[in-house]
Amino acid sequence: NGRWSLNGFTALVTGGTRGIGYAVVEELAGFGAKVHTCSRNEIELNRCLQEWKQKGFQVTGSVSDVSSSEGRVKLMDSVSGLFGTKLNILVNNVGTNIRKPSVEYTAEEYSKLMSTNLESCYHLCQLAHPLLKSSGMGSIVFISSVAGMVALATGSIYGATKGAMNQLAKSLACEWAKDHIRCNSVAPWYIKTSLVEHLLEDKEFVDRVIARTPLRRVGEPQEVASLVAYLCLPASSYITGQTISVDGGMTVNGFF
Ligand code: NDP
């Protein structure tokens, strides 16, 4: 059934060598899409590409740093070279965090978080727009965070970048609907990845996280990837501008 297949679709997933990005690459490729991904580490990227080849997935990759403008332009040049100016799916997954009290952030840290988490997404959407439009069926997914919806002790700048992504998804959904491009935001709570592994080693911290989470556990990268894939499938063709949490119920838990 074509509604549940990505056969013939092309996708760019940023930051696909670990964590959520890695799971998203596999999920989209598993539904039949041709996927391009990137990371800053060539050795790790090549190891992943080898793994995907062995699994029979059609995945290519570039070494690029999406926090720089030149990196983004070069990445999108590779994508249009590979996919012949037609891109169906853009998953803006790269993101990072620096956890500190608000009064302690430096201007450099502010810029780093803004350029990596927000400016990269904005510029990649601009660069991808003509390719998404010419595909005739485009879908953009932002990997946001529940930190963009509720206040968390994860850092105020991180929360601001994620809140801005959720709003950007709404704006682009309306502006680019006429171009047959949908745009949605996915907001995870704690997911077992390298980004947060140091936090999840602290048993006391994990107990506090779980106490706030109705499903009483943290999430797996695949549990985010399945929603991302759904938002890229023709099956979700009437869903745009939404922010959807993958959070074990955390954001709806008043006091439980
Ligand atoms: P990881 O740090 O585990 O993986 C990040 C991936 O992105 C790696 O492949 C990394 O490779 C790549 N990457 C990082 N920076 C850049 C860059 N500047 N240019 C190109 N590639 C880059 O992160 P997660 O999988 O945990 O996070 C993915 C997204 O999910 C982020 O946006 C994060 O904010 C969000 N999120 C994560 C949550 C969690 O609990 N894990 C919760 C809520 C949201 P390399 O470093 O080699 O470049």
Side-chain angles (χ1 to χ4, degrees):
N1 185 333
R3 290 169 62 237
W4 295 96
S5 166
L6 295 174
N7 276 331
F9 282 52
T10 56
L12 170 62
V13 178
T14 64
T17 58
R18 294 197 303 278
I20 293 170
Y22 184 91
V24 170
V25 168
E26 293 214 329
E27 198 83 340
L28 297 181
F31 276 104
K34 280 197 184 115
V35 185
H36 191 74
T37 191
C38 69
S39 86
R40 294 165 299 181
N41 182 321
E42 185 168 16
I43 293 167
E44 208 172 49
L45 180 63
N46 286 337
R47 187 176 43 73
C48 290
L49 292 173
Q50 201 56 41
E51 281 171 26
W52 289 321
K53 197 172 162 195
Q54 275 158 12
K55 292 181 184 176
F57 295 143
Q58 303 181 78
V59 188
T60 50
S62 314
V63 177
S64 44
D65 182 346
V66 301
S67 69
S68 92
S69 179
E70 308 85 79
R72 297 186 290 262
V73 170
K74 263 180 63 189
L75 175 63
M76 206 50 79
D77 282 348
S78 311
V79 166
S80 47
L82 275 162
F83 298 150
T85 71
K86 186 188 96 102
L87 184 68
N88 296 100
I89 296 163
L90 169 62
V91 181
N92 279 307
N93 166 70
V94 164
T96 192
N97 198 5
I98 302 166
R99 289 158 197 268
K100 281 188 169 184
S102 292
V103 289
E104 290 176 17
Y105 283 106
T106 64
E108 288 71 31
E109 288 168 336
Y110 181 91
S111 297
K112 184 181 184 226
L113 287 169
M114 283 292 165
S115 63
T116 306
N117 292 10
L118 183 61
E119 191 181 352
S120 65
C121 294
Y122 190 81
H123 190 205
L124 284 171
C125 286
Q126 285 182 315
L127 293 169
H129 176 261
L131 287 79
L132 290 163
K133 187 177 172 180
S134 70
S135 77
M137 201 195 284
S139 175
I140 299 171
V141 179
F142 294 121
I143 307 302
S144 173
S145 166
V146 291
M149 308 169 80
V150 295
L152 297 177
T154 50
S156 56
I157 302 175
Y158 182 80
T161 64
K162 298 300 189 180
M165 284 166 83
N166 298 344
Q167 184 57 36
L168 185 58
K170 296 176 195 177
S171 299
L172 297 184
C174 294
E175 197 177 330
W176 293 349
K178 64 173 185 344
D179 302 324
H180 309 289
I181 299 167
R182 296 181 296 114
C183 187
N184 293 287
S185 214
V186 165
W189 176 225
Y190 278 98
I191 306 295
K192 278 182 222 155
T193 73
S194 62
L195 183 68
V196 296
E197 67 188 348
H198 58 292
L199 294 170
L200 299 182
E201 275 162 14
D202 178 348
K203 168 127 181 21
E204 205 178 303
F205 177 76
V206 175
D207 285 346
R208 280 172 55 216
V209 167
I210 288 174
R212 282 286 285 122
T213 310
L215 288 180
R216 298 288 181 245
R217 60 179 177 86
V218 297
E220 300 289 339
Q222 293 78 3
E223 296 180 298
V224 180
S226 48
L227 174 61
V228 175
Y230 173 67
L231 291 170
C232 298
L233 282 160
S236 67
S237 52
Y238 203 50
I239 301 174
T240 196
Q242 303 304 303
T243 301
I244 305 175
S245 300
V246 183
D247 67 351
M250 191 280 277
T251 52
V252 298
N253 187 8
F255 181 70
F256 177 72

